[in-house]
Amino acid sequence: MKRLINLFTPGTKRSIHRLALLSAFIGGTATGAFAQNPFIQTQYTADPSARVFGDRVYVYPSHDILATPGKGRVGWFCMEDYHVFSSANLTDWTDHGVIVQQNKVPWVKPDSYSMWAPDCIERNGKYYFYFPTSPKDTTTYSRGFAIGVAIADKPTGPFVPQPTPIKNVHGIDPNVFIDKDGQAYLYWSAGNIYGARLKENMLELASDPVILQELPTKGLKEGPYLFERNGLYYLTYPHVANKTERLEYATSNNPLGPFKVTGVIMDESPTGCWTNHHSVIQFKNQWYLFYHHNDLSPQFDKARSVRVDSLFFNEDGTIRKVIPTLRGVGLTNATQNIQIDRFSRTSDQGVSIAFLDTLNKFQGWKTVFNAADAWLQYNSVDFGKKPARFVSARAASPSGGVLQIRTDGLKGPVIAEVKVPAGKDWKVIKAPVQKLGPGVHHLFIVSKGKDPVEADWIRFE
Ligand code: FUB
């Protein structure tokens, strides 16, 4: 399904006109998302299962919506369908629309709003989409959740759901892995993490499910995701070791274990988002961790948003802990609106981030500078081959202020000074750029006055 997203008016934070035009050529809708986190900012998304198919990354997330009386359970997860998103550069994302809907799957209990964390995998040119949800048949599937499969010829669908869920699988969070010898495995969770071999048809178990029992016994474990690197199998999973979920991993020489608990990939959310759910891929020689947080819904952690950060291995094969960032991954094109509120670093004081419109959080964020010399660093801006000549900033300052822009260090060259006139309304202010070479630069935005200045975005030309 193709859909034109028009949440944003021209000139505001997430103007997507250019991307929408571009995406028309590849079949889908630009999301208004760029390289920053969360990388989908037009709807709530969670549980991102990322896959590399051909030369693109596809992300199959859950789609959180807000329950209302009569529609789902208020105050709980509420999900009725799945979208798929893709990108060739992890920077520009396309929403390919809805691929599976709860009330169009024959075995699903109507209006159950329980389309939880999915996964997708390719085998022999077919794409198998696995999803957990509430079945009509509560006799056979007594524990509340079953896992179904929908099949397509392309990663974006159309997906045709199978008439019944997978037999002998009771649980959530399916994850599929195909080993080098062609054997496929299905993993899922139901308090513990389970695994089993899949038949060649990818639709039936080829072995009895086993509990992967070397994992921690205390605290909920769910969301398994298994990958292989240099002959070592990494079973990664969210686990409540303390208060909320953190991402951990165990390793083995065999896809079904025995596993050795090895470490933590990402600590608990510092702001208390209870769930985290992830996937790990290698794309163009870099490893990435896809995960979620509740950036667009800080007060309600069942409305989540997907993020991506780079992941690195130590020489001994262990995973270095991933520190979550707002900046995310990939290059930001200097001629697009650069959302500096998705920063790499800021000064200890004098910089804060706020929603542009607290009644419509999908409008995104602004940066508030409120001390002299407060600064913000935004990494990896691609200026291309020609040096930029002008910068524009969308900013506002009741008493007026100056934003100085430097490159490649707080003591790096000053390339522009944007004078923000006094006034409460947002203005787009243009200033000349000097001493800026082509290529990729880190930007430093420094507020030179003590009075508050709010900045929405900056853009070069
Ligand atoms: O999205 C609903 C559930 O929350 C998922 O299935 C779990 O992994 C957790 O993220």
Side-chain angles (χ1 to χ4, degrees):
M1 190 187 100
K2 294 183 194 175
R3 194 164 63 89
L4 193 66
I5 293 170
N6 60 359
L7 285 171
F8 308 113
T9 50
T12 63
K13 188 147 200 94
R14 316 287 180 207
S15 175
I16 59 166
H17 182 65
R18 204 177 76 86
L19 281 174
L21 283 178
L22 264 179
S23 72
F25 293 101
I26 50 177
T29 302
T31 62
F34 305 101
Q36 303 99 337
N37 284 327
F39 66 90
I40 307 294
Q41 296 179 14
T42 49
Q43 59 185 254
Y44 299 121
T45 47
D47 311 322
S49 282
R51 293 289 175 192
V52 181
F53 295 139
D55 55 4
R56 293 182 80 78
V57 172
Y58 291 81
V59 174
Y60 299 85
S62 306
H63 179 196
D64 288 336
I65 56 175
L66 299 180
T68 48
K71 183 176 174 181
R73 176 174 148 200
V74 175
W76 188 239
F77 299 111
C78 184
M79 293 109 120
E80 63 185 345
D81 60 21
Y82 300 100
H83 288 231
V84 55
F85 300 83
S86 79
S87 174
N89 57 9
L90 300 180
T91 295
D92 304 309
W93 288 91
T94 300
D95 178 357
H96 298 278
V98 172
I99 51 168
V100 174
Q101 280 166 282
Q102 61 176 4
N103 293 344
K104 295 202 172 151
V105 182
W107 58 268
V108 174
K109 190 166 140 206
D111 298 325
S112 44
Y113 296 99
S114 302
M115 309 292 272
W116 285 18
D119 195 8
C120 189
I121 204 154
E122 185 267 338
R123 178 165 208 142
N124 299 332
K126 296 264 182 225
Y127 297 83
Y128 296 85
F129 179 74
Y130 295 79
F131 57 98
T133 190
S134 304
K136 283 179 192 154
D137 173 2
T138 49
T139 316
T140 318
Y141 296 92
S142 55
R143 287 194 213 157
F145 273 88
I147 291 176
V149 190
I151 306 175
D153 292 328
K154 288 191 293 180
T156 52
F159 280 91
V160 179
Q162 292 297 293
T164 53
I166 305 176
K167 281 201 189 83
N168 219 7
V169 177
H170 307 261
I172 59 169
D173 297 353
N175 164 242
V176 196
F177 169 72
I178 303 179
D179 206 356
K180 289 191 290 275
D181 62 4
Q183 176 63 57
Y185 297 83
L186 179 68
Y187 302 88
W188 67 95
S189 57
N192 282 305
I193 293 179
Y194 293 76
R197 290 191 172 78
L198 274 173
K199 288 190 183 165
E200 178 89 25
N201 66 13
M202 303 298 278
L203 302 173
E204 292 170 281
L205 297 191
S207 66
D208 286 337
V210 290
I211 293 179
L212 305 179
Q213 52 196 349
E214 302 81 20
L215 307 184
T217 46
K218 243 182 95 195
L220 178 76
K221 300 170 293 293
E222 54 180 4
Y225 184 90
L226 189 124
F227 67 94
E228 181 267 344
R229 177 180 179 267
N230 296 339
L232 194 62
Y233 298 88
Y234 293 76
L235 174 65
T236 64
Y237 51 92
H239 172 220
V240 185
N242 183 21
K243 279 193 182 150
T244 62
E245 291 183 340
R246 66 182 193 187
L247 302 180
E248 299 178 7
Y249 72 107
T251 50
S252 176
N253 294 322
N254 187 302
L256 289 176
F259 285 95
K260 178 170 169 280
V261 172
T262 311
V264 175
I265 305 174
M266 180 174 278
D267 284 328
E268 289 181 2
S269 151
T271 55
C273 182
W274 203 92
T275 61
N276 198 351
H277 186 122
H278 67 296
S279 56
V280 177
I281 58 164
Q282 188 183 28
F283 181 59
K284 298 186 178 166
N285 294 321
Q286 173 64 52
W287 288 85
Y288 295 97
L289 176 74
F290 288 74
Y291 62 102
H292 72 225
H293 190 61
N294 58 333
D295 297 274
L296 288 164
S297 170
Q299 311 304 329
F300 180 56
D301 68 356
K302 310 288 180 290
R304 300 153 297 176
S305 300
V306 290
R307 289 178 168 196
V308 54
D309 274 301
S310 299
L311 177 141
F312 299 92
F313 291 87
N314 295 309
E315 281 199 0
D316 63 0
T318 53
I319 297 175
R320 278 194 229 157
K321 210 182 258 186
V322 177
I323 308 298
T325 75
L326 293 176
R327 174 61 188 84
V329 300
L331 298 178
T332 298
N333 185 327
T335 62
Q336 289 178 353
N337 294 353
I338 304 168
Q339 311 294 346
I340 57 172
D341 47 72
R342 309 293 85 194
F343 57 83
S344 304
R345 248 172 13 125
T346 65
S347 50
D348 289 340
Q349 286 171 348
V351 181
S352 60
I353 306 298
F355 283 106
L356 275 170
D357 178 350
T358 49
L359 297 179
N360 179 5
K361 300 198 170 71
F362 290 104
Q363 288 283 344
W365 299 264
K366 62 186 175 186
T367 307
V368 183
F369 296 91
N370 57 16
D373 294 323
W375 56 268
L376 178 150
Q377 177 178 350
Y378 185 100
N379 284 351
S380 306
V381 177
D382 188 1
F383 287 86
K385 293 200 176 120
K386 276 199 202 151
R389 294 176 51 224
F390 294 97
V391 63
S392 296
R394 185 168 188 264
S397 174
S399 315
V402 175
L403 291 178
Q404 188 179 72
I405 305 178
R406 293 175 180 259
T407 49
D408 305 321
L410 270 173
K411 298 211 165 119
V414 176
I415 61 161
E417 288 206 326
V418 178
K419 295 189 174 66
V420 186
K424 64 177 174 25
D425 294 333
W426 287 102
K427 292 192 179 63
V428 176
I429 306 127
K430 192 166 174 175
V433 168
Q434 53 179 356
K435 297 186 202 154
L436 172 68
V440 175
H441 295 279
H442 296 343
L443 297 182
F444 291 77
I445 293 103
V446 189
S447 179
K448 293 315 287 180
K450 64 177 174 17
D451 294 320
V453 178
E454 299 191 346
D456 183 0
W457 46 255
I458 65 173
R459 183 180 63 214
F460 291 84
E461 60 188 83

